[in-house]
Amino acid sequence: MSKKRIVCLALGVIAAIAFFLIPPPAGLTAEAMQGIGILLCGIIWMVGAVFPDFAVMIAMLAAWVVLKILPFATAFSAFSGTSFWLLLGAMVIGVAGSKSGLLMRIALAVLRVFPANFQGQVLALLTSGLIISPLVPSTAAKAAIMGPIAKQISDTMGYENQSRGSAGLFYAYFTGFTCFGPIFLSGSFIAYSMLGAMPEGFEGVTWIQWAYYALPWSIVMIVLSYIAIVLLFKPKGGAQFDKATIADMSKALGPIKRDEWITLAVMGGCLVLWMLERTIDVSSAAVAVLAMTILVASKVLDKADFDKKVNWNLVFFIGAVISIGSMIKYLGIDVFIGDTLTPLMAPLVSRPIVFVLGFVAVVLLARFVIASTLTTTVLFTVALVPFGLSVGISPWVIGFIAYVSVHVWFLRYQMPLYLTANATAGNGEMLSQRQAALQSTSYIVISTIGLLVSLPWWKFLGLMP
């Protein structure tokens, strides 16, 4: 074990012991302090990569139970909740889309439609990401599929490694297939986790409602992302992309196969049923589980796929992260946070622009410490929702601001998904870290503008006072 891991291991234990020994302040119980101490220990261990993240999170839940801080049913409540099963079903659907070749076929079809110049291919990558985003919540899977294609487009157009053109195409691919995730409820696992951490009665945001609430942010993100990529990274000269390359890749896939038809029908059916959830009164989680069953029963996926291609580490990690919300509610920590923050932050409600800018800034600072975008989103959601409820701000607004603000990659360690995308798109050849930092800055500026533009819309919808 490295020195860093040993130090973080010791710091985590010390932090937990300290919270066990410190007398609880007014409004908190000794059990609440102990629960917070174990949570803080887990966060320190994850920051230091002492053990795998999913193992730390499961151990944290077990510690709450063993030390009689929480009953088992509360500590592991997320694993019987709708968010967990919706997550699992959506993950299996993504595996089927990748294995069958359907996602690759859709992406290639979109790329063939747009002009062969730099602007056209940027628009093609953004559009293909926008189309595929609601079909597959696994941003890692989408990044892995499209990375090699983005690299091939760059090479075919004659762009040198880490040139403006190469970096611009990477930014378009990464934005379309990862940063557009918050536009749709089914665009990323983080959305399901965020809703799973909501208080009872607020977790039932439907697919249509999500898209409706996020509409101004989505429009700003789509339009300004394209403009930013062209302004910042358009290369000199008019290099053209040889579309024969895409045609050859499409030809290699052959005619659409049985498994692709089944996967397409399942994906399309899920989207329709998720959109009509309130109308037909059928849970999105039930639809996802049924879709998973159909894909296995029809042998689109076999037992080996289910065992090896589903990211079970991530499944257990997300389930454990969602359970943090149950701990905080059960021990009354949410009430304490709300009572503490309301007097301090209530004045900002009358100054929503300052509130949003301050919220985004705090999330950005936290991301220099917490590498997991999912953990950061859930922690801020759980911590600030009590304050939001006390001043009339919808829990969804709190969660959404946290969600869209965690996507930063100023430094390599901040976003493992960026590392995945970078590795699949030429193993770091498409852009330098300086260019990546510029892209990250561009994203957070655009995202924050989108949040500010959304304020009147959210007020109109009654989501903010």
Side-chain angles (χ1 to χ4, degrees):
M1 184 177 288
S2 66
K3 289 183 179 179
K4 176 188 174 183
R5 291 182 176 181
I6 293 173
V7 170
C8 288
L9 175 65
L11 287 177
V13 173
I14 292 170
I17 293 174
F19 272 81
F20 272 69
L21 298 178
I22 296 173
L28 283 182
T29 64
E31 289 79 10
M33 292 291 286
Q34 293 164 10
I36 294 172
I38 293 173
L39 173 60
L40 183 57
C41 175
I43 292 173
I44 293 172
W45 283 3
M46 286 189 290
V47 169
V50 177
F51 304 109
D53 286 355
F54 81 96
V56 171
M57 294 301 294
I58 295 297
M60 183 180 70
L61 303 189
W64 286 336
V65 175
V66 170
L67 296 174
K68 302 189 183 304
I69 297 170
L70 296 180
F72 185 91
T74 302
F76 290 85
S77 59
F79 293 92
S80 61
T82 55
S83 295
F84 176 80
W85 288 99
L86 179 56
L87 161 74
L88 179 58
M91 186 176 288
V92 172
I93 293 170
V95 171
S98 178
K99 180 194 175 187
S100 66
L102 177 64
L103 297 184
M104 175 73 78
R105 191 181 297 276
I106 293 173
L108 293 175
V110 173
L111 291 174
R112 294 178 67 177
V113 173
F114 290 87
N117 57 17
F118 177 80
Q119 297 95 309
Q121 289 308 295
V122 166
L123 194 58
L125 289 168
L126 292 175
T127 303
S128 56
L130 190 63
I131 292 172
I132 292 175
S133 183
L135 300 177
V136 183
S138 174
T139 47
K142 290 180 283 194
I145 291 170
M146 284 303 299
I149 297 178
K151 173 61 175 166
Q152 189 157 7
I153 293 174
S154 176
D155 290 345
T156 303
M157 295 185 76
Y159 296 143
E160 295 182 4
N161 291 336
Q162 301 185 2
S163 64
R164 286 166 58 92
S166 175
L169 290 176
F170 178 91
Y171 189 19
Y173 135 68
F174 190 68
T175 299
F177 285 84
T178 61
C179 299
F180 280 179
I183 293 175
F184 306 103
L185 171 58
S186 54
S188 170
F189 296 134
I190 296 179
Y192 297 128
S193 304
M194 184 195 94
L195 292 183
M198 293 287 181
E200 187 175 349
F202 292 95
E203 73 277 18
V205 175
T206 65
W207 198 95
I208 288 289
Q209 284 177 315
W210 182 290
Y212 191 55
Y213 294 165
L215 186 59
W217 183 90
S218 304
I219 294 172
V220 169
M221 177 56 59
I222 293 168
V223 174
L224 293 190
S225 291
Y226 173 75
I227 293 173
I229 294 170
V230 173
L231 289 179
L232 294 174
F233 295 101
K234 181 183 177 182
K236 296 179 180 179
Q240 295 284 312
F241 172 56
D242 184 3
K243 289 193 175 183
T245 302
I246 296 296
D248 291 342
M249 294 174 70
S250 299
K251 186 176 180 180
L253 290 175
I256 189 166
K257 303 174 182 65
R258 167 189 173 275
D259 287 359
E260 291 178 82
W261 282 117
I262 294 174
T263 304
L264 180 62
V266 169
M267 285 182 170
C270 282
L271 277 181
V272 172
L273 293 176
W274 287 340
M275 292 178 187
L276 299 176
E277 180 178 2
R278 288 288 172 85
T279 304
I280 62 179
D281 195 27
V282 175
S283 165
S284 293
V287 172
V289 172
L290 178 61
M292 176 175 65
T293 305
I294 291 173
L295 291 170
V296 174
S298 62
K299 297 186 178 180
V300 173
L301 298 176
D302 56 26
K303 184 177 182 299
D305 295 324
F306 203 76
D307 289 343
K308 298 177 181 179
K309 293 186 178 180
V310 175
N311 190 340
W312 291 107
N313 292 350
L314 182 61
V315 169
F316 282 104
F317 175 74
I318 293 177
V321 169
I322 294 173
S323 292
I324 293 174
S326 300
M327 180 275 288
I328 288 177
K329 181 176 178 59
Y330 182 86
L331 297 175
I333 300 172
D334 57 338
V335 177
F336 175 80
I337 294 174
D339 292 343
T340 303
L341 291 181
T342 299
L344 300 174
M345 299 182 64
L348 295 179
V349 177
S350 61
R351 303 170 66 189
I353 293 177
V354 177
F355 171 73
V356 169
L357 293 177
F359 193 166
V360 171
V362 173
V363 172
L364 291 180
L365 289 174
R367 288 286 286 110
F368 282 95
V369 179
I370 306 173
S372 169
T373 53
L374 189 152
T375 302
T376 307
T377 301
V378 171
L379 286 176
F380 273 93
T381 300
V382 170
L384 292 181
V385 158
F387 157 74
L389 288 174
S390 69
V391 296
I393 300 177
S394 165
W396 183 88
V397 170
I398 297 292
F400 187 76
I401 294 173
Y403 176 14
V404 300
S405 301
V406 298
H407 292 91
V408 291
W409 54 102
F410 301 114
L411 303 174
R412 290 176 61 85
Y413 76 89
Q414 284 183 301
M415 196 169 183
L417 180 58
Y418 161 71
L419 297 179
T420 300
N422 205 8
T424 59
N427 230 355
E429 294 178 348
M430 290 193 72
L431 78 168
S432 65
Q433 188 54 42
R434 182 186 62 81
Q435 291 169 323
L438 176 61
Q439 293 172 5
S440 180
T441 303
S442 171
Y443 166 80
I444 202 63
V445 169
I446 293 170
S447 175
T448 304
I449 292 172
L451 292 174
L452 296 178
V453 170
S454 299
L455 290 174
W457 177 247
W458 291 340
K459 188 171 183 178
F460 171 74
L461 296 177
L463 300 175
M464 291 190 71

